[in-house]
Amino acid sequence: MNTKSYFFCGIGGSGMLPLANIVAAHGASVAGSDRALDQGRSSDKFDWLRAQGVALYPQDGSGLTDGQQILIASAAIEDSVPDVAKANALGCTRMTRAQLLSTLFNQAAAPIGIAGTSGKSTVTGMTGWILADCGKDPSIMNGAVMKNFAGDDTPFASARTGKGAHFVSEVDESDGSIALYQPDIAIITNISLDHKTLEELRQLFGDFADKARALIWNHDDAESRALFGGRGKDVASSFGFNDGADFQAVNVVEQPLGATFTLRALGGEYQVNLQVPGRHNIANALSAIAAAHHAGVPIADAVDAMARFSGLARRFDIVGTANGISVIDDFGHNPEKIAATLRTLKAFPGRVLAFFQPHGFGPLRVMGKELAQMFVDELDGDDAVLLCDPVYFGGTVDRSIGSADIVSAINTAAAEKTGAQTGDTKPLTATHIPDRAACADWLTKHAKPGDRIVIMGARDDTLSKFARGVLDGLLCGPYKPALDKTSD
């Protein structure tokens, strides 16, 4: 029984909320604050937290009253923030989210860490589901709602607390905190440019892998192959589509809402059926099945469980269809993740209208060039790209590079690509409309039967509501800005 008292600054965040749920389930006292709560955003989430017995306070320091409370806050939050200032005045211990999570993770008998640039949340959900379905009763820490565990009483099921030996968790490399974790089983989904340089990523992922008893890595990924292919790990399994992978997918049949393939592993063959689409999800499933195997689950049982995995919220989440136009809600926010979503869509006929809300001004400075080129590489002249301004909830940040710059780069690269081709190919066009509600109007006016509208972005819970508003606009006429209110 955990008798400690935790105060989460930013408790509504995708990484904070499930962690708060886990420590509360272990008997700790949990309270928190959130800027979104003060701004009237995502009230359904905070109402649910209150119903779970979590005390919520304004982010003004009023929730911290005792020096025995432990403040959980991002390392980037300044001491001038009222909650931090009050905690310092009281002498409270301060921990980052990663420090608390890694402590729980490392205390588990059999921790399974999922790292990599893309796919972590899905692989965490898949691995956790397989272990749960096969009677292992794992604890799971995810950054997304897992549909298999969600219900009327658990609408924000991004965590699960079990009594088994396994603790399945995403592990983040973006802030370097991956170094805190001591996995029994380590999964590296892929390695590509995101928050850090490739040199830094190679060091972080390599060190993480070396700590693990068993390593699972992506044989199709050149960076992973170079890093792990000759590492000499005693217990290791690679996964992928290419020859040489220990867990290999062959006879692949992609479907609009799923996939089937034959798994070749350890001398056997297994027919795998997935409810989630795209080759990237086939790769995710391979890694999860491999992890389950190293956790003691027979491959046949893991394959059977995978057929019942229903996916994650905001991961190629079909919102609905109106007048022959489908609306999809997706978490894509870096080049690798967005490309995977677009490839899934482009595997089937129909125009793609890709709406993207950047998850901050900082990421555009780091990966803006790669982001623009990715849209040009994955889409063609019949498709369209639409960007609103980046997420900005206040604070000091360099806003010198914004969505207009990315749109300009897309249009320039698309024109150059078309000029290098023969024939009458028309270039992809990108549009910048600063206001999100105006973007919805644009989408509903330009969409036609057979189109797929995909709503992409991160760090903003209201994107799902926005996607439903776009669908309503297709059904009921012009988009109504009231549907985009962040207070609902």
Side-chain angles (χ1 to χ4, degrees), residues 149-336:
F149 300 110
D152 292 341
D153 295 332
T154 54
F156 302 100
S158 50
R160 179 185 192 274
T161 304
K163 297 180 180 179
H166 299 94
F167 191 117
V168 184
S169 180
E170 288 189 63
V171 173
D172 191 12
E173 83 289 345
S174 65
D175 59 357
S177 62
I178 187 174
L180 300 173
Y181 296 82
Q182 305 285 336
D184 176 58
I185 298 173
I187 303 174
I188 312 292
T189 59
N190 44 55
I191 303 173
S192 64
L193 186 67
D194 193 351
H195 298 278
K196 293 186 177 294
T197 66
L198 284 174
E199 290 73 18
E200 291 173 306
L201 293 174
R202 290 166 189 147
Q203 186 68 50
L204 289 169
F205 289 134
D207 290 347
F208 180 69
D210 286 343
K211 297 175 187 176
R213 172 184 62 84
L215 169 65
I216 296 146
W217 59 276
N218 188 341
H219 193 276
D220 295 340
D221 178 51
E223 279 290 336
S224 298
R225 197 164 56 248
L227 188 59
F228 302 123
R231 212 166 186 87
K233 192 81 174 175
D234 289 339
V235 181
S237 294
S238 61
F239 65 91
F241 298 89
N242 297 331
D243 290 342
D246 299 308
F247 285 70
Q248 182 187 14
V250 298
N251 304 324
V252 172
V253 178
E254 292 192 66
Q255 301 162 349
L257 299 179
T260 65
F261 64 93
T262 300
L263 167 64
R264 289 179 179 168
L266 305 182
E269 292 195 352
Y270 309 84
Q271 183 65 25
V272 183
N273 300 297
L274 297 182
Q275 295 184 43
V276 289
R279 289 177 68 86
H280 63 295
N281 275 322
I282 295 174
N284 290 336
L286 291 172
S287 67
I289 292 169
H293 161 70
H294 286 293
V297 175
I299 293 177
D301 292 348
V303 166
D304 181 60
M306 273 304 314
R308 293 184 291 279
F309 176 73
S310 53
L312 306 181
R314 298 216 66 233
R315 269 59 173 185
F316 208 92
D317 204 351
I318 308 295
V319 180
T321 301
N323 304 320
I325 304 163
S326 297
V327 179
I328 299 155
D329 186 20
D330 191 78
F331 190 68
H333 61 280
N334 65 31
E336 188 73 21

Side-chain angles (χ1 to χ4, degrees), residues 109-133:
I112 301 175
I114 293 87
T117 307
S118 303
K120 294 188 290 292
S121 296
T122 298
V123 175
T124 299
M126 287 177 167
T127 305
W129 166 248
I130 291 172
L131 295 178
D133 194 57

Side-chain angles (χ1 to χ4, degrees), residues 2 18 41 57 71 98 102 136 217 246 256 264 275 285 289 298 300 332 336 351 370 372 380 447 466 473 476:
N2 188 341
R41 295 183 283 114
Y57 297 88
L71 175 68
S102 62
K136 297 291 187 179
W217 59 276
D246 299 308
R264 289 179 179 168
Q275 295 184 43
I289 292 169
E336 188 73 21
R351 191 170 64 142
E370 291 80 8
D380 55 47
F466 174 74
C476 306

